[in-house]
């Protein structure tokens, strides 16, 4: 028992500062789109995202193809074309005519800096792996914390979730009570966060346990007649997407790396929870013919469950109150981390 207590304390102290940064930045990221609409009045004037037009899309692609990356279509939360640059950073284009309205690097705007802190701890890919490891350790902390509370539950009543004073005993009661009350929410955030970092391993686990059918992403291939992207028939491309998946919304377009590669459109069908969708169309830019189609609603339970983790983790479901619940969980995690660290430092000082 004593060994479990000591292990819980030391791991908690090491995790506390990192969790404060991750949870605090995650809470603020819930309002990233609202911040951008406030900072860019041209977006605030649009109450809803207009339907993509061939001319606007062509103008955006003409500016983006020399750089590469991925172009996201306008949506109600952020009514602008978003060009995700290969080296990080973004460009925003007006949804009606495709003109450039804003551009920034990875750390040159508040949402970008918050995302780098939340997902990478400002340390690139190494920091990204550290975030995944922290999520796994948080799951271990939750399990050990629940076990400790169960053994000591008589002295740690759940009704004392709010500290009555700054005394160590009151802080300990609040720390344990909040951890128990929010254990399911905190556990889900840890599991979903780890799955987002270790996506390949998580996909193998979910697909193996729950099943998966067919290809989950377009296979590399070449088009019969290679043409420059500037000569693509965007009207026909958009029409083909609407014909193949009538209920779907266009979400992303991956820019081809060579002239003989197809256009890859990413779509969100009505039954999909993921805000960007996981359905795909590979289209010949010269003829508009569909070379490959992947319907995410028919790929099996494993991919469906895995694809639902991101919107649930990031508050991207569109459900009323979802962001409020996630904000509560993030603030509680900040308090649990801060109170746990304070208790640890007090004990070490004694």
């Amino acid at each position: 028992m004593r060994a479990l207590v000591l292990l819980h304390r030391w791991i908690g102290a090491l995790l506390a500062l990192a969790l404060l940064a991750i949870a605090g930045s995650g809470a603020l990221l819930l309002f990233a789109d609202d911040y951008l609409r406030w900072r860019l009045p041209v977006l605030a004037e649009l109450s809803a995202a207009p339907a993509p037009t061939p001319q606007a899309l062509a103008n955006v692609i003409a500016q983006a193809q020399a750089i590469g990356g991925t172009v996201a279509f306008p949506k109600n939360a952020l009514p602008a074309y978003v060009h995700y640059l290969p080296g990080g950073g973004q460009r925003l284009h007006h949804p009606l005519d495709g003109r450039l309205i804003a551009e920034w690097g990875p750390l040159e705007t508040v949402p970008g800096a918050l995302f780098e802190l939340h997902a990478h701890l400002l340390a690139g890919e190494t920091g990204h792996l550290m975030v995944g490891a922290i999520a796994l350790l948080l799951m271990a902390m939750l399990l050990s914390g629940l076990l400790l509370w169960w053994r000591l539950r008589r002295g740690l009543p759940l009704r004392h979730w709010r500290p009555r004073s700054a005394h160590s005993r009151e802080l300990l009661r609040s720390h344990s009570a909040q951890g128990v009350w929010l254990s399911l929410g905190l556990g889900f955030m840890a599991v979903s966060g780890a799955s987002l970092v270790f996506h390949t391993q998580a996909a193998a686990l979910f697909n193996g346990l729950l099943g998966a059918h067919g290809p989950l992403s377009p296979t590399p291939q070449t088009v019969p007649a290679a043409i420059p992207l500037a000569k693509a028939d965007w009207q026909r491309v958009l029409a083909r997407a609407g014909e193949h998946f009538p209920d779907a919304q266009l979400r992303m377009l991956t820019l081809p790396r060579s002239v003989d590669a197809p256009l890859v459109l990413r779509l969100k069908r009505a039954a999909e929870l993921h805000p960007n969708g996981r359905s795909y169309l590979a289209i010949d830019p010269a003829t508009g013919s569909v070379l490959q189609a992947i319907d995410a609603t028919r790929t099996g339970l494993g991919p469906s469950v895995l694809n639902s983790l991101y919107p649930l983790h990031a508050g991207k479901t569109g459900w009323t109150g979802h962001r409020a619940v996630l904000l509560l969980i993030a603030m509680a995690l900040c308090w649990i981390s801060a109170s746990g660290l304070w208790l640890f430092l007090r004990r070490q000082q004694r």
Side-chain angles (χ1 to χ4, degrees), residues 149 151-158 160 169 172-173 176:
W149 172 82
R151 297 288 298 273
L152 304 171
R153 62 188 183 279
R154 291 185 179 179
L156 299 172
L158 293 180
H160 289 177
R169 183 172 181 80
L172 177 60
R173 285 177 171 178
S176 62

Side-chain angles (χ1 to χ4, degrees), residues 49-313:
T53 62
Q55 188 57 52
L57 181 57
N59 291 341
V60 173
I61 298 304
Q63 301 172 68
Q65 63 178 336
I67 304 174
T70 302
V71 173
F73 289 83
K75 52 188 176 182
N76 292 337
L78 186 61
Y81 288 96
V82 183
H83 178 198
Y84 294 97
L85 305 178
Q90 301 175 21
R91 284 180 164 185
L92 262 62
H93 296 263
H94 198 281
L96 298 180
D97 54 22
R99 71 179 187 276
L100 182 66
I101 57 178
E103 180 179 2
W104 57 77
L107 299 175
E108 294 176 354
T109 186
V110 173
L114 288 173
F115 177 80
E116 289 299 315
L117 177 61
H118 181 77
H120 302 96
L121 290 175
L122 303 179
E125 185 58 29
T126 300
H128 191 53
L129 295 176
M130 289 175 60
V131 169
I134 289 169
L136 295 175
L137 288 174
L138 176 58
M139 285 188 276
M141 285 293 295
L142 286 170
L143 292 175
S144 63
L146 288 172
L147 178 59
L148 287 171
W149 172 82
W150 182 254
R151 297 288 298 273
L152 304 171
R153 62 188 183 279
R154 291 185 179 179
L156 299 172
L158 293 180
R159 67 179 181 274
H160 289 177
W161 61 271
R162 185 175 61 181
R164 300 176 181 177
S165 68
H167 192 273
S168 295
R169 183 172 181 80
E170 289 297 323
L171 291 177
L172 177 60
R173 285 177 171 178
S174 172
H175 176 90
S176 62
Q178 289 191 17
V180 173
W181 280 118
L182 296 173
S183 57
L184 288 179
L186 294 174
F188 173 78
M189 297 304 287
V191 170
S192 57
S195 299
L196 293 174
V197 174
F198 305 114
H199 186 269
T200 301
Q201 294 81 359
L205 177 63
F206 281 100
N207 295 344
L209 292 176
L210 303 177
H213 313 297
L216 304 179
S217 59
T219 55
Q221 55 187 305
T222 58
V223 296
I227 63 168
L229 193 59
K231 296 184 178 180
D233 189 341
W234 295 111
Q235 184 171 359
R236 185 175 295 179
V237 169
L238 294 176
R240 288 290 183 273
E243 293 169 1
H244 212 88
F245 292 130
D247 67 331
Q249 297 174 326
L250 287 168
R251 282 295 182 248
M252 289 185 170
L253 184 152
T254 301
L255 296 171
R257 297 184 178 181
S258 60
V259 294
D260 60 349
L263 295 171
V264 177
L265 294 175
R266 185 166 160 182
L267 306 95
K268 178 186 182 299
R269 300 206 64 187
E272 292 186 69
L273 188 62
H274 198 292
N276 295 321
R278 286 291 184 179
S279 298
Y280 296 91
L281 284 177
I283 297 179
D284 186 339
T287 64
S289 60
V290 176
L291 304 177
Q292 186 179 15
I294 297 175
D295 184 351
T297 64
R298 298 184 178 181
T299 53
L301 184 58
S304 296
V305 172
L306 183 63
N307 293 339
S308 70
L309 294 182
Y310 167 71
L312 292 172
H313 182 93

